[in-house]
Amino acid sequence: MRLVLIATTLLLAMLAAVAVPAGAFEKRKYDDAAFKAAQSANKSILVDVTATWCPTCKAQRKVLDSLAKRPEFADIVVFEVDFDTQKDALKAFSARQQSTLIAFKGAQETKRLVGETGTDSIEGLLKTTLKK
């Protein structure tokens, strides 16, 4: 029985590794300590203020998922802020509505978009995080 459990665990771990496309963003639920650590490490960061019910957010997600496959954006860390439940984060980022995308290079905010769903605009936003 124990061997079956170990084999199943290993299989699930391998499937999870395969399910994440190579070069995809590192997505995390927003956590203040993790965000500050990423800033201290001078990471390329995108804060995605989103809501499950928001059609604009869904359109942004499609664009972001497409751009996530591009190698130049592979190291971007995406922190997802839930508009409905993470009010402290909204206040900290001065984000007044869902569908807000905020780019950072380390501690420096580089650009922000609100309600934008165009591929070129979102790609331009991501590129600002790549500055040295």
Side-chain angles (χ1 to χ4, degrees), residues 14-25:
M14 288 189 304
L15 289 173
V18 172
V20 177
F25 297 142

Side-chain angles (χ1 to χ4, degrees), residues 1-131:
M1 184 65 161
R2 184 179 170 131
L3 185 57
V4 171
L5 181 61
I6 293 170
T8 302
T9 303
L10 287 173
L11 178 61
L12 289 173
M14 288 189 304
L15 289 173
V18 172
V20 177
F25 297 142
E26 179 185 338
K27 289 185 183 180
R28 303 177 178 183
K29 182 175 177 176
Y30 178 79
D31 170 85
D32 191 54
F35 176 73
K36 288 180 177 161
Q39 286 187 306
S40 293
N42 202 37
K43 297 268 189 181
S44 297
I45 302 167
L46 176 66
V47 174
D48 179 6
V49 179
T50 188
T52 57
W53 48 265
C54 170
T56 304
C57 300
K58 288 178 182 158
Q60 287 176 332
R61 173 93 49 234
K62 285 183 182 179
V63 173
L64 288 169
D65 287 347
S66 171
L67 293 170
K69 298 172 187 168
R70 295 188 29 194
E72 65 264 38
F73 300 134
D75 293 331
I76 295 176
V77 180
V78 179
F79 288 95
E80 294 180 342
V81 175
D82 186 300
F83 182 77
D84 295 318
T85 62
Q86 294 185 291
K87 299 301 183 185
D88 288 345
L90 297 178
K91 188 174 182 179
F93 290 114
S94 298
R96 291 179 178 79
Q97 69 183 66
Q98 74 285 354
S99 73
T100 299
L101 301 172
I102 310 168
F104 289 85
K105 179 60 178 176
Q108 180 68 42
E109 181 177 331
T110 58
K111 189 171 182 176
R112 132 182 340 227
L113 296 173
V114 179
E116 180 60 55
T117 59
T119 300
D120 291 341
S121 296
I122 295 173
E123 179 182 2
L125 173 84
L126 296 179
K127 285 181 177 179
T128 69
T129 71
L130 304 178
K131 296 177 182 177

